Amino acid sequence: MNKIYLWGVIITVLMLVVTYYTLVITAGDSGKDLSEILSGDIVNLLTVLAAMALVVITVFVVIKYVRQMQVDTADGELVDDSWDDIGEFRNPVPQGWAVIFLATMVWAAWYFTIGYPVNSYSQIGEYNEDTKVLNDKFTKDFADKMQEFSEEEKTEYMINMGESVFLSECKVCHGLSADGIDGKSADLNVWGSAKAIVDTINNGAKGLNYPMGDMPDRNGIMNANKDYAPITDLEIEIVSSYVANGMKGEGSDVFAGACSSCHGLDGKGMGGMSPNLASYGTAEFTVDVLNRGKKGFIGSMPAFNRLNATQKQAVGAYITSLTK
Amino acid sequence: MVDRPLEYDYTIAKLFMMNAIFVGIVGMFVGVLIAWQMAYPGLNTFLGEGLAEYTNFSRLRVLHTDSVIYGFVLSSVWSTWYFVGQRVLKVSMAESKTLMMIGYLHFWIYFAASAVIVVSLLMGITTSKEYAEFEWPLDLGITVIWLLWGASIAGLVGMRREKTLYVSIWYYVATFLAVAMLHLFNNLEVPTYFLSGGIGAWYHSVSMYSGTNDALVQWWFGHNAVAFVLTTPIVAIIYYFLPKESGQAIYSYKLSLLSFWGLMFVYLWAGGHHVLYSTVPDWVQTMGSIFSIVLILPSWGSAINMLLTMKGEWQQVASSPIIKFMILGSTFYMFSTLEGPIQAIKSVNAIAHFTDWIVGHVHDGALGWVGFTIVAAIYHMAPRFFKREIYSKSLMATQFWIQTLGIVLYFTSMWIAGITQGMMWRAHDEYGNLAYSFIDTVTVLHPYFTLRAVGGTLYLIGFIMFAYNIYKTTSAREIDESELQNASPMGA
Amino acid sequence: MFHWLEKNPFAFALGVFITIAFAGLVEIVPNFAESARPLVGTTPYSTLELAGRHVYINNSCNACHSQLIRPFKSETDRYGHYSLSGEYAFDRPFLWGSKRTGPDLLRVGNYRTTDWHEHHMKDPAGVVPGSIMPAYKWMYKNETDIDTAYAEQLTVASFFKTPYTFTKDIGTENARMIPMKDGSTTYIEMGDTLEDAKRLALAEAKLIVADMKDEDVKDAVSKGKIPEIVAIIAYMNSLK
Ligand code: HEM
Ligand code: HEM
Ligand SMILES: [Ca+2]
Ligand SMILES: [Ca+2]
Ligand SMILES: [Cu+2]
């Protein structure tokens, strides 16, 4: 076989392989198969097709001319001038080229005047349609799943979805393993457990923007039942387990004495004055944090209004699952 | 008409050639450096923390783009202008003291301005507009330099003995006019020092346009700066050097003619493809896409004319590295002028824009088309400058293959990186959430950034071989005038 | 005809010029006035924010970061509402960028905060493992050029009628009130003199360093100096 064809084949195959490979990487470990990537998004399909066309057309056309270099001979009538001995033939323009040039011009004129005249397309209109289609699809999928799933499957589904949100939205601050990256933000593997509450009582809490303001550190927390003596290590230990246990078991007396002035006897935050500790460590509490943002001792987290309700609930489920 | 051959004066052409090679090495070295920095960010402090302000990616990137485009490419274009201009117009610079004066001024003011630009970019003095980063004092300097070139064109053309203008001259003239217009309008800016009564940095200015308008003007400029710095003058170059080196007549005058006027007309309308899906009006975007598709044909017209000029001359392609450079250059020109329009289709641009696929496209053109054509031109000119044969043909051949491999690595890696990243950004997972966080789409590119850096390094190595070859040519075997008709003489 | 042109350089040049000149007019002029109009709720930059914007430009952050959210669900999910033309009305120059080596920053003020930037700009990979963004440590030392920012404010206020209000004009009819989304109006204060401008910038800087940890930076601000990092954070926070 002529070497030039071989080169053409090599280049075409190389670029096909390379392009196929981009699909493989894109799928990554998201569990999609390749046809799904192309069928799920028309833009992907068009891009891949266009990329193929680019390689094939260039290779094909260049080979055509290289063949002419190899087998044809140059001739024609020369023009009268020559510049520094460079001559010019009066050859006609290549027909294919001329026809396509003309065709593209006609097409362009058609496009502007008849096909899609000036204001007939709106990219925002297209966005609204696309977004609606995607949203509807996911809402429906979600509703279907919630119908057919058992409780257990539902929880698992939410946790997985939450993990996905966490990995794209939260991990820049909380780290891949949610450990808070050396204290740069909250360690969510601990958060929600008794240990984290011990920390909170020792150091206080701030930044959720409750009417009650900040929670003082341990020096500011007195036990009313003990004549307003500062809270002790033992009491902290007990009350923390109590709260982490969903306000059950030993410790209700310490809570009543030290915490209820702000969080209410039932721990529910006295109608929005302070956080509802009955939901501490659960998805609801996380949703509350995401709605408010959190300005902490080691940094601050913005409110996440751009997540929708399902996503917030899901990420809450995921975080709860980290400690449980 | 004079009957004995004219004694052309190549002094200015030589100065520009030396500058081109020198700045080429520097600019491409910086390109290689930033390519490695993207793969290994530790290199941002390769001269230590203390100098990181001047050695980090973001300061160096502009230095790379401006030095290769306005240093390497423009110097080369001017070097060929002072060579080709004399020859196809049949006048010698030596015939006019004024023209020589203009030439010297042109070079030295340009040289001085380049030095100021390098320093100021390193200091972080930039207006942020891509390829037009310079503040107003430099804009003025650039205007002077440009006018000097204009004077040189007007002078040589005015004194010409060849009545009809050759194709190369068309393209040089178009380059001059278009860039003058673009430079002027994109750089309308208000110096703040004077309007505030002398407060702050004296060189600072603020753009005449704001927001969407500024973007529209900038990319009208940016797109056409590409057209009239990285395309038309290079077409001017190949229209002279390919037929000259090969001794073949241009395939078709009509094709030259239609391609030229087609390109002039269509190019200017296509700038909208840089602002697709932005806030510029939809119809302007559509116009950019449509005209980009039409643009394939006048672009390919020139390339096809070049390939057909070599019709039946395969043995020359096979045996001459200079011709190889130009034929592969034309091929890359076809590739990038089809790739560009494809990336200009709105749906494709949705993926391609903002990614490395665009960077790949840029370098298909810059390394394959621009770089190779310039290398060929300088190889052709050097024996004429020094009256000596080119030092080593085998070195040329090696350079050709090393650089070709470099380009292949560059564009395949950027092809993968760009399309992958573009698709990852768009991907939603089965829950309807974004499938990837941004950083996932960065870390996945590491292997391709590395591959690109390797490719770029190969290209640079090839370029250094080129510089060495030209340097050695200044002391290679002497030849006499009659050996210089077409094919350039080369030593083994 | 063409052959005639090729023999008459002046006519040739004129022909070329006419061919290339009018495309720009047709594309740029028709929507020019409309595109220059600010959106309700869009305000010009304060002195410190503008100085931060200069730091952003001088360091070519736009080489890696875009500020243009395209109307795709994947982008609005990631970055927030798609860009609107009027939001950019006070951007001179525009900073859309053309390469997204790092994420879009048009609304980064909505989801990143002062202390996050403080850590991130010092050591990006320490905060986001795998980041390839350079560390910008010198910004914690270099002093911000408030003078040039103020000069630019004065220039745009007089030359382009950008709605800044001199301190002395607050509450008078010379105040340039800007309509907000909720129907109220607001004004953006600009110093009467360079000294005033510096005082305003410093006051703004103090609010920012209150959220910062770096002792040297806090120290500098308490001494009346504004390191570049403070200005660039002010700018980042203003991007919403
Ligand atoms: C038919 C001809 C061409 C068309 C239609 C075209 C089209 C395009 C498009 C659509 C982009 C990407 C814009 C974006 O989404 O960011 C682009 C970028 C670019 N192209 Fe081309 N291209 C063509 C030929 C060339 C050639 C021959 C070169 C020479 C080197 C070149 C150099 C560039 C450069 C430097 C950029 C980057 C601009 C930036 O900084 O964003 N193009 N081109
Ligand atoms: C040794 C060869 C070269 C290497 C390794 C190289 C590398 C690079 C790198 C790493 C970038 C930044 C890409 C990014 O930000 O993602 C870049 C940008 C660029 N380079 Fe090169 N380069 C080389 C030669 C050239 C030459 C010869 C030219 C022009 C004649 C050129 C023109 C450009 C342009 C216009 C851009 C900006 C692209 C854009 O903004 O889209 N480069 N190059
Ligand atoms: Ca300028
Ligand atoms: Ca760019
Ligand atoms: Cu373009």
Side-chain angles (χ1 to χ4, degrees):
Chain A
M1 193 165 56
N2 189 310
K3 237 166 56 184
I4 203 68
Y5 290 116
L6 190 65
W7 276 112
V9 172
I10 292 176
I11 291 171
T12 312
V13 171
L14 173 73
M15 293 314 285
L16 290 180
V17 169
V18 158
T19 310
Y20 174 80
Y21 188 53
T22 62
L23 295 174
V24 178
I25 315 173
T26 306
D29 39 25
S30 72
K32 290 197 179 178
D33 70 41
L34 306 182
S35 60
E36 220 179 309
I37 292 180
L38 294 180
S39 64
D41 188 347
I42 180 83
V43 168
N44 289 349
L45 184 66
L46 270 170
T47 302
V48 168
L49 287 179
M52 307 277 95
L54 161 57
V55 175
V56 173
I57 295 175
T58 312
V59 167
F60 174 84
V61 174
V62 170
I63 286 183
K64 169 176 145 54
Y65 291 115
V66 168
R67 287 303 294 159
Q68 276 179 274
M69 288 179 210
Q70 291 176 330
V71 299
D72 215 340
T73 43
D75 59 9
E77 186 196 334
L78 285 169
V79 300
D80 304 334
D81 298 284
S82 95
W83 301 265
D84 196 18
D85 295 331
I86 296 174
E88 246 176 18
F89 289 119
R90 285 189 202 281
N91 288 328
V93 298
Q95 223 173 27
W97 179 84
V99 169
I100 302 178
F101 196 2
L102 210 65
T104 54
M105 285 194 287
V106 170
W107 167 78
W110 168 84
Y111 201 101
F112 270 119
T113 50
I114 306 169
Y116 301 87
V118 172
N119 281 326
S120 64
Y121 166 81
S122 148
Q123 62 184 19
I124 301 303
E126 185 177 82
Y127 167 78
N128 290 338
E129 276 167 35
D130 288 356
T131 312
K132 186 168 175 336
V133 170
L134 285 171
N135 282 342
D136 288 353
K137 177 170 176 296
F138 290 121
T139 321
K140 185 170 171 308
D141 277 5
F142 185 69
D144 288 354
K145 294 226 164 75
M146 289 299 117
Q147 285 258 303
E148 73 199 38
F149 278 174
S150 68
E151 272 317 306
E152 224 165 76
E153 283 170 329
K154 271 189 202 166
T155 318
E156 199 191 319
Y157 187 82
M158 289 303 270
I159 290 175
N160 287 340
M161 182 195 297
E163 180 173 14
S164 147
V165 175
F166 184 86
L167 290 179
S168 64
E169 297 285 341
C170 320
K171 89 169 174 211
V172 283
C173 291
H174 290 279
L176 194 59
S177 54
D179 59 0
I181 323 182
D182 296 335
K184 289 203 179 64
S185 68
D187 179 349
L188 299 178
N189 292 309
V190 177
W191 181 83
S193 69
K195 188 163 171 289
I197 304 179
V198 173
D199 263 6
T200 302
I201 302 174
N202 279 329
N203 300 317
K206 66 171 184 181
L208 284 177
N209 249 324
Y210 273 99
M212 199 70 92
D214 296 348
M215 166 164 157
D217 64 15
R218 60 179 301 168
N219 300 321
I221 298 180
M222 327 290 170
N223 191 339
N225 297 340
K226 296 250 177 90
D227 218 7
Y228 296 100
I231 193 165
T232 66
D233 282 347
L234 186 66
E235 285 167 343
I236 292 179
E237 197 107 332
I238 293 171
V239 78
S240 297
S241 307
Y242 170 74
V243 173
N245 260 336
M247 317 274 298
K248 281 196 271 302
E250 198 188 345
S252 60
D253 50 335
V254 183
F255 192 86
C259 319
S260 64
S261 56
C262 295
H263 290 281
L265 252 186
D266 56 0
K268 291 204 172 141
M270 311 201 296
M273 295 302 287
S274 68
N276 174 357
L277 298 185
S279 70
Y280 181 73
T282 68
E284 280 67 39
F285 198 97
T286 311
V287 173
D288 189 44
V289 174
L290 293 181
N291 288 336
R292 292 170 170 276
K294 164 105 180 160
K295 196 168 176 53
F297 288 97
I298 48 171
S300 48
M301 165 169 146
F304 270 86
N305 301 323
R306 62 206 185 118
L307 297 178
N308 65 32
T310 315
Q311 288 172 320
K312 286 178 186 163
Q313 195 66 35
V315 78
Y318 170 67
I319 286 168
T320 310
S321 78
L322 292 175
T323 20
K324 292 287 145 65
Chain B
M1 290 271 152
V2 272
D3 29 25
R4 68 182 173 80
L6 273 172
E7 276 291 326
Y8 296 115
D9 188 313
Y10 298 137
T11 324
I12 312 292
K14 261 190 270 187
L15 285 173
F16 274 114
M17 179 197 77
M18 289 189 287
N19 193 55
I21 295 176
F22 172 68
V23 182
I25 292 178
V26 174
M28 290 188 221
F29 173 75
V30 177
V32 168
L33 185 59
I34 59 175
W36 284 107
Q37 284 177 335
M38 288 180 82
Y40 297 95
L43 291 170
N44 280 298
T45 52
F46 74 104
L47 291 182
E49 288 290 352
L51 287 174
E53 180 172 358
Y54 311 102
T55 63
N56 76 87
F57 178 88
S58 54
R59 283 280 167 89
L60 292 183
R61 192 188 194 271
V62 271
L63 194 63
H64 165 61
T65 55
D66 286 340
S67 60
V68 286
I69 298 176
Y70 301 123
F72 167 60
V73 178
L74 269 192
S75 282
S76 306
V77 168
W78 284 329
S79 175
T80 64
W81 160 254
Y82 285 103
F83 181 86
V84 175
Q86 297 185 65
R87 299 187 69 110
V88 301
L89 295 167
K90 255 201 197 142
V91 274
S92 170
M93 296 273 287
E95 294 175 62
S96 159
K97 283 218 167 60
T98 324
L99 276 184
M100 281 307 290
M101 193 60 194
I102 289 173
Y104 276 116
L105 280 175
H106 182 193
F107 178 78
W108 286 110
I109 296 181
Y110 165 76
F111 189 78
S114 308
V116 177
I117 285 178
V118 170
V119 174
S120 66
L121 287 179
L122 280 175
M123 284 167 60
I125 300 173
T126 156
T127 61
S128 91
K129 290 192 172 186
E130 261 186 298
Y131 319 122
E133 285 88 357
F134 321 111
E135 278 291 5
W136 65 267
L138 283 167
D139 291 342
L140 291 180
I142 293 165
T143 310
V144 171
I145 294 163
W146 208 255
L147 290 177
L148 284 166
W149 183 37
S152 166
I153 298 179
L156 278 183
V157 169
M159 286 165 59
R160 76 192 185 284
R161 297 196 177 79
E162 199 71 71
K163 195 82 191 91
T164 317
L165 300 181
Y166 179 58
V167 190
S168 293
I169 303 296
W170 310 349
Y171 280 100
Y172 283 121
V173 168
T175 302
F176 169 76
L177 290 172
V179 173
M181 170 181 80
L182 298 164
H183 174 69
L184 229 55
F185 283 97
N186 192 43
N187 283 300
L188 289 180
E189 48 209 4
V190 189
T192 57
Y193 186 77
F194 304 105
L195 270 96
S196 64
I199 298 178
W202 61 274
Y203 47 77
H204 183 71
S205 69
V206 50
S207 173
M208 196 69 181
Y209 321 98
S210 78
T212 302
N213 287 330
D214 199 34
L216 201 50
V217 175
Q218 155 64 21
W219 284 113
W220 167 77
F221 161 89
H223 166 73
N224 295 304
V226 165
F228 290 93
V229 177
L230 299 178
T231 299
T232 53
I234 314 300
V235 177
I237 291 175
I238 202 166
Y239 256 105
Y240 175 85
F241 289 95
L242 184 67
K244 188 69 191 173
E245 176 73 23
S246 67
Q248 294 303 110
I250 293 291
Y251 170 72
S252 163
Y253 163 74
K254 283 200 188 109
L255 189 51
S256 305
L257 188 72
L258 283 177
S259 302
F260 176 79
W261 287 102
L263 201 75
M264 288 306 112
F265 179 73
V266 182
Y267 230 118
L268 275 288
W269 298 88
H273 62 223
H274 293 269
V275 286
L276 296 180
Y277 288 113
S278 73
T279 62
V280 312
D282 287 324
W283 67 269
V284 177
Q285 300 183 27
T286 309
M287 201 170 247
S289 286
I290 302 292
F291 275 105
S292 300
I293 303 287
V294 181
L295 190 52
I296 300 171
L297 279 302
S299 306
W300 279 35
S302 301
I304 289 172
N305 215 1
M306 291 303 113
L307 297 182
L308 285 177
T309 294
M310 296 309 293
K311 207 159 78 162
E313 297 294 319
W314 184 250
Q315 80 290 350
Q316 286 209 47
V317 183
S319 67
S320 162
I322 297 191
I323 295 198
K324 271 206 195 71
F325 275 116
M326 285 189 278
I327 292 302
L328 198 60
S330 300
T331 305
F332 272 111
Y333 182 50
M334 291 175 76
F335 188 74
S336 51
T337 51
L338 182 57
E339 190 178 39
I342 280 178
Q343 294 176 331
I345 298 170
K346 269 192 108 172
S347 307
V348 178
N349 195 262
I351 282 190
H353 187 52
F354 287 143
T355 70
D356 289 296
W357 192 13
I358 305 295
V359 176
H361 159 72
V362 171
H363 291 85
D364 293 340
L367 304 178
W369 156 240
V370 180
F372 273 15
T373 307
I374 287 174
V375 162
I378 292 180
Y379 271 135
H380 178 94
M381 290 191 297
R384 276 92 183 156
F385 288 165
F386 306 118
K387 304 267 184 312
R388 289 167 193 273
E389 68 180 2
I390 297 171
Y391 169 66
S392 165
K393 182 175 172 181
S394 60
L395 197 59
M396 278 165 97
T398 319
Q399 175 201 346
F400 175 82
W401 289 110
I402 289 187
Q403 291 196 309
T404 302
L405 179 62
I407 302 174
V408 170
L409 287 180
Y410 201 122
F411 84 71
T412 45
S413 57
M414 290 299 96
W415 180 290
I416 304 181
I419 303 181
T420 300
Q421 196 181 36
M423 293 200 293
M424 283 175 85
W425 286 342
R426 292 178 65 85
H428 283 94
D429 64 13
E430 54 183 310
Y431 310 105
N433 303 319
L434 291 172
Y436 299 102
S437 75
F438 193 89
I439 189 67
D440 296 337
T441 73
V442 175
T443 46
V444 73
L445 302 183
H446 173 77
Y448 317 108
F449 284 159
T450 310
L451 213 58
R452 183 258 303 270
V454 172
T457 308
L458 288 178
Y459 195 89
L460 177 65
I461 290 173
F463 197 84
I464 291 170
M465 292 164 73
F466 163 67
Y468 177 75
N469 213 347
I470 297 293
Y471 168 72
K472 293 296 272 187
T473 299
T474 57
S475 57
R477 183 181 70 85
E478 284 190 44
I479 48 172
D480 86 55
E481 204 75 5
S482 63
E483 288 179 49
L484 286 172
Q485 278 318 304
N486 295 116
S488 305
M490 308 170 195
Chain C
M1 207 284 264
F2 285 106
H3 217 68
W4 178 81
L5 277 181
E6 286 152 25
K7 291 191 164 101
N8 290 277
F10 185 75
F12 176 86
L14 196 67
V16 169
F17 188 76
I18 292 171
T19 313
I20 60 178
F22 64 94
L25 292 177
V26 174
E27 289 185 341
I28 296 167
V29 175
N31 296 75
F32 198 87
E34 188 188 327
S35 298
R37 216 172 293 141
L39 197 72
V40 171
T42 302
T43 54
Y45 299 98
S46 73
T47 316
L48 188 62
E49 287 163 6
L50 195 60
R53 197 167 192 269
H54 290 165
V55 177
Y56 186 91
I57 290 173
N58 295 341
N59 287 284
S60 294
C61 305
N62 52 294
C64 289
H65 291 283
S66 58
Q67 287 189 27
L68 177 77
I69 303 173
R70 296 177 295 169
F72 308 139
K73 183 164 188 298
S74 53
E75 298 215 346
T76 54
D77 279 3
R78 199 183 292 281
Y79 305 118
H81 198 284
Y82 53 77
S83 298
L84 297 169
S85 183
E87 294 180 279
Y88 297 111
F90 300 121
D91 280 13
R92 290 172 200 271
F94 80 112
L95 287 174
W96 292 357
S98 67
K99 179 79 207 297
R100 242 182 222 163
T101 303
D104 192 274
L105 297 179
L106 183 67
R107 306 194 195 288
V108 71
N110 286 335
Y111 49 90
R112 296 285 179 267
T113 50
T114 300
D115 25 15
W116 192 86
H117 292 303
E118 182 188 1
H119 288 121
H120 183 252
M121 296 296 290
K122 201 180 281 173
D123 178 17
V127 176
V128 182
S131 177
I132 59 170
M133 171 161 147
Y136 288 90
K137 296 202 173 108
W138 61 89
M139 284 187 191
Y140 294 74
K141 298 195 188 73
N142 291 6
E143 208 181 324
T144 308
D145 178 1
I146 299 292
D147 297 25
T148 303
Y150 180 59
E152 183 170 322
Q153 285 185 309
L154 287 176
T155 305
V156 295
S158 66
F159 201 89
F160 301 110
K161 304 282 171 280
T162 301
Y164 281 112
T165 301
F166 281 116
T167 309
K168 62 176 174 359
D169 291 337
I170 294 174
T172 72
E173 61 186 18
N174 287 335
R176 304 282 312 271
M177 301 312 283
I178 303 165
M180 301 302 285
K181 284 203 183 88
D182 59 9
S184 66
T185 57
T186 187
Y187 60 85
I188 299 295
E189 183 178 358
M190 173 174 70
D192 295 338
T193 63
L194 181 57
E195 289 317 305
D196 279 355
K198 287 187 165 157
R199 184 180 47 73
L200 283 173
L202 191 63
E204 219 182 314
K206 284 189 172 143
L207 292 179
I208 291 184
V209 288
D211 283 341
M212 292 179 68
K213 301 278 167 338
D214 192 304
E215 286 305 331
D216 295 339
V217 171
K218 283 171 158 331
D219 217 42
V221 172
S222 70
K223 293 198 181 106
K225 292 193 162 58
I226 308 177
E228 286 180 331
I229 186 70
V230 181
I232 200 161
I233 291 178
Y235 175 57
M236 295 278 102
N237 289 346
S238 79
L239 295 173
K240 288 194 167 159

